[in-house]
Amino acid sequence: FSMWQEAVRSSVLLANAIAEKTVVVSHSTGGLLAYDAYVAGKSSISGLFLWEPALKITKKIKGYINIGFYAVGDRAPRL
């Protein structure tokens, strides 16, 4: 799992080098990894688009849309 987390961090660093804002689009386990990086606050992810993420978001989050995916644009609370 830690290797996957490092892959997300590396990818976000690369995206930040070429773009002003980084929005991560992910599916399943990728959604879990992206959300983990996002709430840790150690990366500069501007937003998330999580399609069927491998986690259940139980708290209300600004930008949350409950139709099988989650779109998050502000710092989300820890689960």
Side-chain angles (χ1 to χ4, degrees):
F1 193 79
S2 63
M3 289 174 28
W4 292 346
Q5 288 173 311
E6 183 55 38
V8 170
R9 283 190 284 273
S10 298
S11 298
V12 170
L13 285 174
L14 176 62
N16 287 334
I18 58 176
E20 188 175 316
K21 291 187 176 187
T22 300
V23 175
V24 178
V25 178
S26 57
H27 177 256
S28 192
T29 303
L32 174 62
L33 291 162
Y35 188 82
D36 179 59
Y38 185 77
V39 297
K42 295 179 182 174
S43 64
S44 54
I45 298 172
S46 300
L48 300 172
F49 182 92
L50 309 176
W51 178 38
E52 298 177 342
L55 62 111
K56 183 175 183 178
I57 298 176
T58 58
K59 295 182 180 182
K60 258 193 165 175
I61 299 171
K62 183 178 179 181
Y64 166 77
I65 303 169
N66 188 11
I67 55 173
F69 67 87
Y70 304 93
V72 179
D74 294 316
R75 287 280 166 219
R78 290 194 180 273
L79 298 177

